Amino acid sequence: MPTLLAIQASPRHEYSTSRKLSAVFVEKWLAAHPGGKVIERDLMKTNLPFVDLPWIGGAFTPPEQHSPESAAAIKISNDLVAELQAADRIIIGTPMYNFTIPAALKAYIDHIVRVGVTVVDNVGQLTGKKTTIILASGGDFRPGSPFEVYNQASGYLRQVLGFIGLTDLDILLADRARAGDAGETAVEQFGEAVSLAAAA
Ligand SMILES: Cc1cc2nc3c(=O)[nH]c(=O)nc-3n(C[C@H](O)[C@H](O)[C@H](O)COP(=O)(O)O)c2cc1C
C-alpha cells in the first residue's frame, strides 16, 4: 500500500490556507489510493530543537562514538529521515513568512538533510518520491507579478529538497490568502489544482 507523508508548518490550524488545501489533497489522494497510509507530521506539534553541538556530533561521527547527548539529538533526525524513506508521496503545506519559509520548516529541513544518509557524495538519496508543496502567502507571487522575485521560498525549497533527491517537485502557490481571510476570495479557488496534484 502506498504511503503519503503529510507535513504541515502553519500555526494557524483551522484558519490556515495551507492546511485546508493540504486536507483537500490528502482526501483526494486517499480516494485515488484506497487503503493508502497517511503519516501526519505536524511541525507545530513536533517541537523540533535547532541543530546544536550534540546534533552535529551525532551527524558527523559513527554511532559507536556518540555521547548520550549526541545519540538523543540525532535520534530525532533519524526518525524524521525514516519517515521520509517510508513515504512514496509527500505533501508539504506551509505559509510564506518574510518571503521565505517559517522557522519550524527550516528546522525540519536541517534535520533531514544528512550527509552520508539523505545525501551521499552529493547525490540525493530520496529519489522516486513525488512531492507537492502548497505555499500560502498573503501577496501575489505568480509568474509575471511585480513581486515574483520576492518569493525566496519556492527556489529555496526546490533547491534544498532536490539536493536530497526530491527532484520530482511541484509548488502550488496559494497566493493572495489575505483576500481569502477577508472573505474576498475563497480557498476553494485553488481546490482544482490541488485535486489534480493529488491524483497525479
Ligand atoms: C510572521 C508572518 C510573516 C508573513 N510574511 C509574509 C510574506 O513575506 N509574504 C506574504 O505574501 N505573506 C506573508 N504573510 C502572510 C501569510 O503568508 C499568509 O497569511 C498565509 O495565508 C499563511 O499561511 P496559512 O494560512 O497556511 O497559515 C506572513 C504572515 C505572518 C504571520
Side-chain angles (χ1 to χ4, degrees):
M1 278 301 135
T3 298
L4 171 69
L5 174 62
I7 302 162
Q8 297 305 314
S10 172
R12 296 204 311 144
H13 299 284
E14 69 268 32
Y15 307 108
S16 158
T17 298
S18 58
R19 282 181 189 263
K20 282 179 199 159
L21 291 172
S22 298
V24 172
F25 182 100
V26 170
E27 186 193 320
K28 299 287 177 190
W29 185 85
L30 277 173
H33 302 87
K37 181 176 164 194
V38 179
I39 301 174
E40 305 270 0
R41 171 54 62 189
D42 188 337
L43 298 179
M44 287 299 108
K45 294 181 183 158
T46 307
N47 248 336
L48 283 181
F50 294 144
V51 165
D52 56 10
L53 191 55
W55 188 97
I56 294 170
F60 294 100
T61 58
E64 58 274 15
Q65 292 176 16
H66 289 176
S67 66
E69 292 77 16
S70 283
I74 212 62
K75 180 181 183 307
I76 303 161
S77 168
N78 288 343
D79 291 348
L80 295 174
V81 168
E83 241 172 38
L84 276 167
Q85 288 167 336
D88 304 292
R89 186 79 167 87
I90 299 164
I91 167 87
I92 303 176
T94 182
M96 175 187 287
Y97 278 176
N98 301 314
F99 307 109
T100 183
I101 56 169
L105 183 55
K106 178 59 166 61
Y108 175 79
I109 288 170
D110 287 345
H111 278 282
I112 60 163
V113 179
R114 289 273 306 279
V115 172
V117 182
T118 53
V119 186
V120 176
D121 295 333
N122 284 326
V123 178
Q125 301 297 300
L126 299 174
T127 50
K129 302 172 193 294
K130 192 168 168 49
T131 302
T132 298
I133 294 173
I134 297 174
L135 175 63
S137 63
D140 178 358
F141 300 94
R142 287 171 296 174
S145 134
F147 294 102
E148 182 186 358
V149 294
Y150 283 71
N151 174 5
Q152 300 294 314
S154 296
Y156 170 67
L157 287 169
R158 202 174 279 290
Q159 182 183 24
V160 73
L161 296 177
F163 185 56
I164 57 173
L166 302 176
T167 50
D168 185 2
L169 183 125
D170 288 327
I171 300 181
L172 303 179
L173 296 181
D175 56 338
R176 292 158 296 138
R178 226 176 6 223
D181 289 348
E184 293 159 19
T185 60
V187 159
E188 288 69 31
Q189 70 185 306
F190 304 109
E192 193 181 343
V194 171
S195 301
L196 288 173

